[in-house]
Amino acid sequence: MSRVPLLVRIILAIILGTFIGLIVPEGAIELFATFTGLFGNFLNFVIPLIIIGFIAPGIASIGKGAGKMLGITAGLAYLSTVLAGVAAYLVARNLYPSILSRQDAGEMTNPEESLIESSFTVEMTPIMDVMAALIFSFLLGVGMTAVKGDTLYNVMAEFRSIIHKVIENIIIPLLPFHIFGIFANMSYAGQVATILSVFAKVFVMIIILHLIYLISVYGIAGALHRANPFHLLKKLAPAYFTALGTQSSAATIPVTLKQTKSIGVKEKVADFSVPLLANVHLAGSTITITSCAMAVLYMQGQATTFMDVLPFVLMLGVTMIAAPGVPGGAVMAAVGLLESMLGFSSVMVSLMIALYLAQDSFGTATNVTGDGAITTIANRLIGKKKDVETVHNEQAG
């Protein structure tokens, strides 16, 4: 099974999970849910370790260039997120009057409420949350650079090797089974399909926006590296489909990191940027949240202007950094902004959460796939690196 490409395994897991969820009894779904719950808890435990293991030694190995790399990567991520949100608003403002003219908000429920729960759980409390891991990694990396000693750096380098082994020997092999269980549970519950049928037009628009965004950002990356953007996108496809199942940018870090390196990004840049971007670059989620928020407002008969939405998008790009690497984290982080800046009532917030969670995985998949492009762009801006197309040719040979 290990010889089967990861992308093929992921697609098979999604297809089989969707169909098997329609025909198996509840007991089987509970068994799947138990595995996904245990594996999900393990992922949540490992995620802070992945961040520390990659970012801290990454900063230290870059040395004086760390500040430049951090500034470029974070700046690109924020710019990408804000532009994605603005584009989503402009499209929604022009299309919703025609595609939602006959829609009714109706009665919606949270799709996760109908999912089968696991028969038992094993608590695997992370040593720290994602934001704490990011801050600790920055402090540790900058500190190792300032001290200029080798002892702690060697320890962190060995720690990174351990994390690599965990990723390669545990996480990657079990991911398809995790994705299978998630899709089987969602298919059995049926709630997500109901919501998707009601808001099909909005979701189609969102997915098209996701694709346009990815083509655009990979077009820029391809132009900078003189590479075919669609070849780059194809390389990142396993990360996209992994995120469809895990619904977590952070949980998809191992796959995103592996595929980003395969397109010729320097290892030091990838090890630093990919874990960082998994937590600060949420362009796909911003497109989804902005589009869904505009749909809820339109269906409630509330008009908005560009100047109403722009501050919301600007703050959203910052607030979602605190979103945990779990399904629905982005929309939960955005609830406060929806209430304070767009005037959402409790009913509107509930509807918004239902809308978002029904297709959370597509926004997350766009986030992580976009991470590969942002890392590639940062790779070029930081300095002259090996040409991506040359790497393709070398690998093909």
Side-chain angles (χ1 to χ4, degrees), residues 22-74:
L22 297 173
I23 61 176
V24 299
E26 182 176 331
I29 300 297
E30 185 175 337
L31 180 64
F32 300 152
T34 301
F35 173 78
T36 59
L38 292 172
F39 188 75
N41 287 345
F42 177 72
L43 276 179
N44 289 334
F45 176 82
V46 173
I47 285 167
L49 303 180
I50 292 175
I51 292 171
I52 296 170
F54 286 148
I55 293 183
I59 293 175
S61 63
I62 294 168
K64 294 181 180 179
K68 179 181 178 182
M69 177 173 288
L70 176 59
I72 289 175
T73 305

Side-chain angles (χ1 to χ4, degrees), residues 26-259:
E26 182 176 331
I29 300 297
E30 185 175 337
L31 180 64
F32 300 152
T34 301
F35 173 78
T36 59
L38 292 172
F39 188 75
N41 287 345
F42 177 72
L43 276 179
N44 289 334
F45 176 82
V46 173
I47 285 167
L49 303 180
I50 292 175
I51 292 171
I52 296 170
F54 286 148
I55 293 183
I59 293 175
S61 63
I62 294 168
K64 294 181 180 179
K68 179 181 178 182
M69 177 173 288
L70 176 59
I72 289 175
T73 305
L76 287 171
Y78 184 72
L79 179 62
S80 171
T81 300
V82 170
L83 290 178
V86 170
Y89 165 75
L90 294 175
V91 172
R93 186 185 66 180
N94 288 284
L95 290 185
Y96 283 176
S98 58
I99 69 174
L100 296 182
S101 58
R102 297 183 180 179
Q103 294 286 357
D104 191 333
E107 184 176 336
M108 306 292 291
T109 58
N110 188 325
E112 291 196 348
E113 291 179 355
S114 57
L115 295 181
I116 302 299
E117 296 183 356
S118 60
S119 56
F120 68 92
T121 61
V122 176
E123 292 296 330
M124 306 179 198
T125 305
I127 60 173
M128 62 182 71
D129 61 32
V130 169
M131 186 56 62
L134 281 168
I135 296 172
F136 180 70
S137 298
F138 294 149
L139 291 176
L140 196 60
V142 173
M144 285 188 287
T145 301
V147 172
K148 299 179 180 179
D150 293 331
T151 303
L152 184 56
Y153 176 76
N154 290 336
V155 170
M156 293 305 302
E158 290 186 10
F159 178 67
R160 179 169 55 187
S161 298
I162 294 172
I163 297 301
H164 269 297
K165 292 291 184 182
V166 172
I167 291 172
E168 293 174 358
N169 298 325
I170 300 177
I171 296 178
I172 294 294
L174 292 179
L175 262 179
F177 298 98
H178 179 56
I179 293 170
F180 167 84
I182 290 173
F183 270 81
N185 202 337
M186 291 174 63
S187 179
Y188 180 85
Q191 182 69 289
V192 172
T194 301
I195 296 174
L196 285 173
S197 67
V198 174
F199 292 93
K201 293 179 181 179
V202 176
F203 291 157
V204 168
M205 186 198 80
I206 291 172
I207 292 172
I208 291 174
L209 283 174
H210 286 166
L211 293 175
I212 293 173
Y213 163 79
L214 289 175
I215 292 172
S216 300
V217 73
Y218 273 93
I220 296 172
L224 288 175
H225 284 275
R226 298 186 300 279
N228 186 326
F230 293 100
H231 289 170
L232 303 184
L233 261 173
K234 182 180 178 181
K235 283 286 188 178
L236 267 293
Y240 184 92
F241 285 98
T242 299
L244 280 180
T246 63
Q247 295 180 285
S248 169
S249 296
T252 313
I253 287 174
V255 179
T256 311
L257 189 63
K258 177 182 177 182
Q259 299 308 120

